[in-house]
Amino acid sequence: MENLVSLSGFPEGDLEATIVERAVCDILREVFELHGFAGISTRAVEPVKELLKKGETSKEIYLLRRLQEDPLRAASSKKQLGLHFDLTVPFARYVRENAGRLAFPFKRYQIQKVWRGERPQDGRFREFIQADIDVVGDGELPVFFDTEVALVMVDALERLPLPGVTLLVNNRKVVEGVCESLGVNDVEAALRCLDKLDKIGAQGVSEEMVEAGIAQEAIDVLISMAQIEGNAEDVRAGLGALNVSSALLDEGLEELTQLLNECAERASGKVRAALRIARGLDYYTGTVYETVVEGHEDLGSICSGGRYDSLVTVGKRCFPGVGLSIGVSRLVSRLLSANLVSVTRPVPTAVLVAVTSEEERSLSNSIAAALRERGISTDVSPEAAKFGKQIKYADKRGIPYVWFPSSGEVKDIRTGEQVKADANEWTPPVEDARPQVRPA
Amino acid sequence: MENLVSLSGFPEGDLEATIVERAVCDILREVFELHGFAGISTRAVEPVKELLKKGETSKEIYLLRRLQEDPLRAASSKKQLGLHFDLTVPFARYVRENAGRLAFPFKRYQIQKVWRGERPQDGRFREFIQADIDVVGDGELPVFFDTEVALVMVDALERLPLPGVTLLVNNRKVVEGVCESLGVNDVEAALRCLDKLDKIGAQGVSEEMVEAGIAQEAIDVLISMAQIEGNAEDVRAGLGALNVSSALLDEGLEELTQLLNECAERASGKVRAALRIARGLDYYTGTVYETVVEGHEDLGSICSGGRYDSLVTVGKRCFPGVGLSIGVSRLVSRLLSANLVSVTRPVPTAVLVAVTSEEERSLSNSIAAALRERGISTDVSPEAAKFGKQIKYADKRGIPYVWFPSSGEVKDIRTGEQVKADANEWTPPVEDARPQVRPA
């Protein structure tokens, strides 16, 4: 099972990898719907000005031009289109355009490809699938939705063939409140530095903060804050020891505490605070999330997001939202490369109906039709070769059963067991009906 | 139910339309797998030189450039990428790249978006979904596969909420054989003219053929030929009356007859010959297919394809193939605009658990968890409002059941029937479990 790469950054799964990717997407879709999220699909393109609203990611965008368009004219056109690089920006545009016809709070999921012109690396692709859930309110959105989306993702990730996952949460208001209390004005810079804690360590962060003009005493407190993690009590105790206070901090702490307590009650041990989590995107205004896979921390966060209170506005109406996004392709790529899953066979086919002679092919076709009629994936041998060769054909594809029309028997080619069977009645065991994805 | 359009050529379905589109894709996937086709997914981009191999469609390609790339340099780069405009060209590339690891005959299906920079019209989009099946052989591919793919598509289309469909077939060798017999050398020109028969009529085709330098006697025969349709006997009789003969014609007629007879036996009345069918693409070498929907002939062909004996070559190895492609978006767009289907509700949710007071929200959450545990899509009311308001909330979304935690009762809000229920046991009727797509 592997990704086939003939164009850097654009891997294509082999047949087994494709089955894993679909199984993951099917599970996600099932769980999202179970929690009442409606599926939407947005176009792959957006006007460039829509994509560039978040300046930071501008480098990663793919722009489009029709072949017969003049390259320079296309580049200067106000109508130029680009491929979306995430599903949040298109969703924000979708909500803005359809605010009049949607029922709020609006819960949607979206599983689609996105594109980024980044330099490809291990687990970083230029084309990949994301799976997003968001809840958007009209005017207000209670903070218990921050808990809801976290628990939906916990539910979804637990059903995937993965080692344990932990959702790490923080709240921007806590960090900003601490900054406020410390007299740090450039909160953005502080967040940017803290976000690197895992990568460059406390010493590195400290140096970058000095460069950013943050006072040494403030730096020490911020780094102590960033090392706080655990449950609601741990957070309260940790922050208490920092000797900081502000109204914003209190508000953030209240939200974070509520989230942590609700999650502890409903999904014990799955959601922890980690006050170093900052998330780069500047539209987050409250809760932020990251997710790590046990034993695969090097993969980085496989499911991230947050609360954004002002991403979507229509005139004076504001639509606050909260959501999370799973990097499906990165996740599947790791499932494959770390051999965390196995697939029982690469093709859907459960039965190969052998062909005795070309003159009798229509008998084989009738048997196949009868089996398919009852939902059994069936193929007919392409050649009336010796049965040994036809069995080999099935074996090469992983097809478990071969049907012999002349004797009216079906053989499990893995065990050699062969029995009389009626195509209108015989059914394979349920685990043989379709390829199965199993934890390895 | 409708398509929402804020960018010409890039419609987005509303919630119901999205449900219809997914239902159609799910049915197609199910049927393709039932017939032993393995799913693959290719990247959305191809090197432009790959896309331009078929010169004819070059106008429709979208090229990519990263935002920080120089427009002129990007335009002249040999590595420039474009979005695929169909799934056949990427599949041919995929087979070429993976010939060494695939088992032939290789049966694959592929359901993906494609892009064309065409002028958008009714039912013609710039971004749309195609669903393709193809069988590719190594060196040879028996002609009975031309029957197989046709019957898979008949099976698939019959399961969709559509009026009757008819597959129309022809064989390039028949047309080329007739041309040969008539001394018409520019077969391409003859095909191009014949392809317009439905649009411009016999007189128009005749005039265009004169312009193309085809002799009047030949034109008369070609137009008579193009009017032949029906079963194998009709074709044989029609061609017999034309007084033409050639080895190629015999070969094509033999293939076409076999296909028509097998289809008549296995799917009576679903597949007919129509010798006017030419298909524009020049890589077809034998059977060609189109599909019309009864009462919606103006929609054009919703499922087309053909046999291509030399699209894929690796050195001296040749991989002949035959396949068909459904224009899913165009089909769904017609299902919606002609009101051919209805959807029972726009959200997956079967039950809304009411909230008595914010203090008791966790009771509602537990009930929801118990229902979800057993696969019932459930939402919890966002607000502890009066029950009347909470019922209205459900009604607005089409959620059929409201659960009252305080009394332990569940109400079908469509009938008003309210019963005592246990969240660990109660199950909605199967038709209420998920939104249903029904023929209207």
Side-chain angles (χ1 to χ4, degrees):
Chain A
M1 221 167 0
E2 58 184 327
N3 277 322
L4 315 169
V5 183
S6 69
L7 194 62
S8 180
F10 296 92
E12 291 174 331
D14 63 10
L15 297 183
E16 284 100 338
T18 305
I19 289 171
V20 174
E21 186 180 277
R22 297 216 171 163
V24 167
C25 290
D26 284 350
I27 290 170
L28 296 177
R29 173 176 161 184
E30 175 62 26
V31 175
F32 298 160
E33 294 194 348
L34 201 52
H35 288 263
F37 287 73
I40 73 163
S41 171
T42 58
R43 63 196 188 216
V45 306
E46 295 293 336
V48 170
K49 63 179 193 309
E50 194 75 42
L51 296 173
L52 290 182
K53 279 185 180 168
K54 286 194 316 189
E56 189 191 355
T57 45
S58 59
K59 278 179 241 146
E60 304 167 354
I61 298 173
Y62 278 113
L63 305 178
L64 299 187
R65 159 175 80 86
R66 278 176 294 115
L67 181 60
Q68 77 276 32
E69 258 184 303
D70 178 77
L72 288 176
R73 278 186 73 150
S76 62
S77 164
K78 282 181 182 165
K79 289 185 181 168
Q80 191 168 34
L81 302 175
L83 293 172
H84 57 212
F85 55 84
D86 73 3
L87 300 176
T88 308
V89 171
F91 177 56
R93 189 262 313 151
Y94 178 93
V95 171
R96 217 169 52 236
E97 280 179 2
N98 300 298
R101 73 185 94 208
L102 295 174
F104 293 96
F106 177 53
K107 300 166 72 174
R108 85 86 173 78
Y109 75 91
Q110 204 170 337
I111 304 176
Q112 281 183 245
K113 278 187 179 172
V114 305
W115 292 265
R116 292 185 192 175
E118 290 179 340
R119 190 172 296 279
Q121 307 166 32
D122 176 43
R124 293 256 177 202
F125 309 122
R126 293 185 148 183
E127 171 174 308
F128 54 100
I129 296 173
Q130 283 198 331
D132 282 30
I133 55 168
D134 286 88
V135 184
V136 168
D138 182 359
E140 54 165 13
L141 186 73
V143 77
F144 60 73
F145 280 111
D146 297 36
T147 306
E148 290 310 318
V149 292
L151 293 180
V152 174
M153 280 307 195
V154 166
D155 191 4
L157 292 168
E158 291 208 310
R159 295 186 199 216
L160 297 181
L162 274 179
V165 296
T166 309
L167 244 79
L168 302 175
V169 295
N170 192 7
N171 192 303
R172 276 280 171 89
K173 291 174 189 169
V174 169
V175 182
E176 289 180 27
V178 171
C179 285
E180 202 174 82
S181 169
L182 295 170
V184 174
N185 296 320
D186 193 349
V187 178
E188 285 294 319
L191 283 169
R192 213 167 36 239
C193 295
L194 286 175
D195 210 20
K196 297 182 186 167
L197 192 62
D198 281 347
K199 276 184 207 147
I200 61 175
Q203 187 55 37
V205 169
S206 176
E207 283 163 19
E208 294 211 354
M209 284 186 166
V210 169
E211 269 177 55
I214 301 175
Q216 192 59 55
E217 313 86 77
I219 293 176
D220 294 341
V221 178
L222 285 170
I223 288 178
S224 297
M225 178 205 71
Q227 284 160 340
I228 298 171
E229 53 174 274
N231 60 22
E233 247 174 75
D234 299 327
V235 172
R236 221 167 254 285
L239 286 171
L242 296 184
N243 212 10
V244 288
S245 73
S246 93
L248 191 61
L249 168 58
D250 290 347
E251 189 184 324
L253 183 55
E254 180 52 39
E255 290 178 9
L256 185 57
T257 305
Q258 185 186 333
L259 170 67
L260 289 166
N261 286 336
E262 285 178 0
C263 289
E265 200 188 307
R266 294 166 63 190
S268 176
K270 289 292 160 192
V271 181
R272 293 159 52 83
L275 270 54
R276 68 183 177 279
I277 304 290
R279 301 302 306 154
L281 300 174
D282 58 6
Y283 54 63
Y284 292 127
T285 52
T287 308
V288 286
Y289 313 89
E290 292 197 350
T291 311
V292 289
V293 183
E294 232 167 76
H296 299 270
E297 289 76 10
D298 60 308
L299 198 55
S301 175
I302 54 148
C303 175
S304 315
R307 154 78 70 151
Y308 42 91
D309 275 337
S310 43
L311 185 63
V312 187
T313 51
V314 180
K316 284 183 182 167
R317 253 167 105 191
C318 184
F319 297 86
V322 61
L324 282 150
S325 173
I326 297 182
V328 174
S329 300
R330 198 199 294 191
L331 193 61
V332 169
S333 151
R334 178 55 63 104
L335 290 176
L336 302 178
S337 66
N339 289 314
L340 293 171
V341 292
S342 67
V343 177
T344 51
R345 62 178 187 258
V347 295
T349 328
V351 181
L352 176 76
V353 183
V355 174
T356 312
S357 70
E358 281 308 326
E359 291 67 41
E360 292 162 281
R361 176 170 292 278
S362 72
L363 171 60
S364 301
N365 285 335
S366 316
I367 292 167
L371 292 169
R372 287 178 192 136
E373 188 70 37
R374 294 182 301 109
I376 302 165
S377 174
T378 306
D379 209 345
V380 173
S381 180
E383 210 187 330
K386 285 190 178 152
F387 283 158
K389 197 176 169 195
Q390 298 192 48
I391 291 170
K392 229 174 187 169
Y393 175 92
D395 189 42
K396 193 170 176 190
R397 284 160 178 75
I399 302 172
Y401 297 94
V402 175
W403 196 287
F404 301 102
S406 39
S407 65
E409 292 182 324
V410 63
K411 185 193 199 86
D412 181 335
I413 65 169
R414 298 159 303 185
T415 63
E417 196 194 1
Q418 187 163 331
V419 295
K420 275 266 174 209
D422 180 339
N424 295 305
E425 284 172 9
W426 179 87
T427 299
V430 81
E431 67 271 19
D432 283 335
R434 284 286 189 279
Q436 308 268 310
V437 177
R438 295 176 178 161
Chain B
M1 223 169 357
E2 59 184 326
N3 276 323
L4 315 168
V5 184
S6 70
L7 193 62
S8 179
F10 297 91
E12 291 174 331
D14 63 10
L15 297 183
E16 283 100 337
T18 306
I19 289 171
V20 174
E21 186 180 276
R22 295 213 176 169
V24 167
C25 291
D26 284 350
I27 291 170
L28 295 179
R29 176 178 159 183
E30 175 62 26
V31 175
F32 298 160
E33 294 193 349
L34 201 52
H35 288 264
F37 286 74
I40 73 164
S41 170
T42 58
R43 63 195 188 219
V45 306
E46 295 293 335
V48 169
K49 63 179 193 309
E50 194 75 43
L51 297 171
L52 290 182
K53 279 185 180 168
K54 286 194 319 188
E56 189 191 357
T57 45
S58 60
K59 278 179 243 149
E60 305 166 353
I61 298 174
Y62 278 113
L63 305 179
L64 299 187
R65 158 174 80 85
R66 278 175 294 118
L67 182 59
Q68 77 276 32
E69 259 183 304
D70 178 78
L72 288 177
R73 276 186 73 152
S76 63
S77 163
K78 281 182 182 163
K79 289 182 179 170
Q80 191 168 36
L81 301 175
L83 293 172
H84 57 212
F85 55 83
D86 74 2
L87 300 176
T88 308
V89 171
F91 177 56
R93 189 261 313 152
Y94 178 93
V95 170
R96 217 169 51 235
E97 281 180 2
N98 299 299
R101 72 185 96 210
L102 294 173
F104 293 96
F106 177 54
K107 300 166 72 174
R108 85 84 176 81
Y109 76 91
Q110 203 170 341
I111 303 176
Q112 281 183 246
K113 279 186 178 172
V114 305
W115 293 266
R116 294 185 190 175
E118 290 178 342
R119 189 173 297 278
Q121 308 166 31
D122 176 43
R124 292 257 178 202
F125 308 122
R126 293 185 148 184
E127 171 175 309
F128 55 99
I129 296 174
Q130 283 198 332
D132 282 30
I133 55 167
D134 286 88
V135 184
V136 168
D138 182 358
E140 54 165 13
L141 187 74
V143 76
F144 60 74
F145 280 110
D146 296 36
T147 305
E148 289 311 318
V149 292
L151 293 180
V152 173
M153 282 305 196
V154 166
D155 190 3
L157 293 167
E158 291 209 310
R159 295 186 199 216
L160 298 181
L162 274 178
V165 295
T166 308
L167 243 79
L168 303 175
V169 295
N170 192 6
N171 192 304
R172 277 278 172 90
K173 291 175 191 170
V174 169
V175 183
E176 289 181 29
V178 171
C179 284
E180 202 175 81
S181 168
L182 296 170
V184 174
N185 296 319
D186 193 350
V187 177
E188 283 297 316
L191 282 169
R192 213 167 37 240
C193 295
L194 286 175
D195 210 20
K196 298 183 186 166
L197 192 62
D198 280 348
K199 279 185 206 144
I200 61 174
Q203 187 57 34
V205 168
S206 175
E207 282 162 18
E208 294 212 355
M209 283 187 165
V210 168
E211 269 177 55
I214 299 174
Q216 192 60 54
E217 312 87 75
I219 292 175
D220 294 340
V221 177
L222 284 170
I223 288 178
S224 298
M225 177 203 72
Q227 285 162 337
I228 297 171
E229 54 175 275
N231 60 21
E233 247 175 75
D234 298 328
V235 172
R236 220 167 255 287
L239 285 172
L242 296 185
N243 211 10
V244 286
S245 74
S246 92
L248 191 61
L249 167 58
D250 290 346
E251 189 183 323
L253 182 56
E254 179 52 38
E255 290 178 8
L256 185 57
T257 304
Q258 185 186 333
L259 170 68
L260 289 166
N261 286 336
E262 285 178 0
C263 289
E265 198 188 308
R266 294 167 61 190
S268 176
K270 289 292 157 189
V271 180
R272 292 160 51 85
L275 270 53
R276 68 183 176 279
I277 305 291
R279 302 302 304 154
L281 299 174
D282 59 6
Y283 53 62
Y284 293 127
T285 52
T287 307
V288 287
Y289 312 89
E290 292 195 353
T291 310
V292 290
V293 182
E294 232 167 76
H296 299 269
E297 288 76 7
D298 60 311
L299 199 53
S301 176
I302 55 148
C303 175
S304 315
R307 153 78 71 151
Y308 42 89
D309 276 336
S310 42
L311 185 62
V312 187
T313 51
V314 180
K316 283 183 180 167
R317 253 166 104 191
C318 184
F319 297 86
V322 61
L324 282 149
S325 173
I326 298 182
V328 173
S329 300
R330 196 199 297 193
L331 192 62
V332 169
S333 152
R334 178 55 63 104
L335 290 176
L336 302 177
S337 66
N339 289 315
L340 293 172
V341 292
S342 67
V343 177
T344 51
R345 61 178 187 261
V347 295
T349 327
V351 181
L352 177 76
V353 183
V355 175
T356 313
S357 71
E358 281 307 326
E359 292 67 42
E360 293 163 281
R361 175 170 293 278
S362 71
L363 172 59
S364 301
N365 285 334
S366 316
I367 291 166
L371 291 168
R372 287 177 191 138
E373 188 70 36
R374 293 184 300 108
I376 302 165
S377 174
T378 306
D379 210 345
V380 173
S381 181
E383 210 187 331
K386 285 188 177 153
F387 282 160
K389 198 175 167 196
Q390 298 192 48
I391 291 170
K392 228 175 189 170
Y393 175 94
D395 189 42
K396 194 171 176 189
R397 285 161 177 75
I399 301 173
Y401 297 93
V402 176
W403 196 287
F404 301 102
S406 39
S407 65
E409 292 182 325
V410 62
K411 186 193 197 88
D412 181 335
I413 65 170
R414 297 160 302 185
T415 62
E417 195 194 1
Q418 186 163 331
V419 295
K420 276 267 176 208
D422 179 340
N424 296 304
E425 284 172 9
W426 180 86
T427 300
V430 80
E431 67 272 19
D432 284 335
R434 285 286 189 279
Q436 308 267 312
V437 176
R438 294 175 178 161

